[in-house]
Amino acid sequence: MTATPATVIQIAESVVAEINAGDFSKTNLAAQRLYVPNFDLEDMKELRVTVVPREVEYLPLDRASNKFHATIDVAVQKKFSKGDAKEIDPLVFFVEELADYFRLKRLNSFVAARCVKVENTVLYSVEHWTQLNQFTSLLTLTFELAK
């Protein structure tokens, strides 16, 4: 008997599937789900999209069920050569495309979950920019469902 994965894992896997199947300006995506994204700098020459389940919140809905909030981080990362607008602007646009795509979206493979909040509080990491010559943007998606 195979155990059903935790709800937050099912949501994260669904986010990966949606990104990989989506019609975005960046093509040939291979988003993946990880707990701790840890790549060698050499691996960052290609665009990396990493989905990380971050947080779960259970709020009472009624006597028998909870409102479940799953917070999922989506990291978009790529090593750059110059860091000029020509190189970085398309990456910022791609992050915005992802944000627009998931806003109020029900996941195709997990329709009970709906994205109720999208945040891009780290448009780019200054630390990664200055120390690694790497663009790193963090998009945080909050999905809600009754459980």
Side-chain angles (χ1 to χ4, degrees):
M1 181 175 176
T2 305
T4 302
T7 303
V8 70
I9 302 305
Q10 293 178 61
I11 292 170
E13 287 292 344
S14 295
V15 169
V16 168
E18 300 260 345
I19 292 171
N20 288 338
D23 184 21
F24 301 108
S25 60
K26 297 292 180 189
T27 56
N28 300 323
L29 290 174
Q32 62 186 86
R33 179 179 66 85
L34 297 172
Y35 285 104
V36 180
N38 188 11
F39 303 109
D40 291 330
L41 204 49
E42 191 66 27
D43 296 334
M44 302 311 291
K45 289 180 179 176
E46 299 298 320
L47 178 66
R48 293 260 179 200
V49 179
T50 310
V51 176
V52 179
R54 184 174 54 136
E55 186 176 281
V56 177
E57 182 180 28
Y58 298 90
L59 303 166
L61 186 61
D62 57 35
R63 290 182 186 198
S65 59
N66 289 310
K67 188 185 300 184
F68 180 91
H69 285 171
T71 304
I72 308 293
D73 284 337
V74 179
V76 174
Q77 300 175 288
K78 186 173 190 312
K79 184 166 174 52
F80 57 78
S81 55
K82 295 179 184 173
D84 60 9
K86 182 179 179 185
E87 195 173 13
I88 302 301
D89 287 356
L91 297 171
V92 174
F93 179 73
F94 173 61
V95 173
E96 184 176 295
E97 280 182 299
L98 290 174
D100 289 344
Y101 177 82
F102 282 105
R103 191 178 66 79
L104 297 177
K105 169 111 176 102
R106 286 201 181 272
L107 295 167
N108 294 325
S109 59
F110 200 84
V111 294
R114 183 172 63 99
C115 187
V116 295
K117 186 176 182 182
V118 178
E119 297 176 276
N120 188 203
T121 55
V122 180
L123 183 60
Y124 61 92
S125 167
V126 174
E127 182 178 317
H128 285 193
W129 189 286
T130 57
Q131 294 178 8
L132 306 172
N133 284 358
Q134 177 179 296
F135 173 84
T136 298
S137 187
L138 186 65
L139 194 62
T140 301
L141 310 174
T142 302
F143 291 89
E144 180 179 90
L145 68 140
K147 185 174 170 168

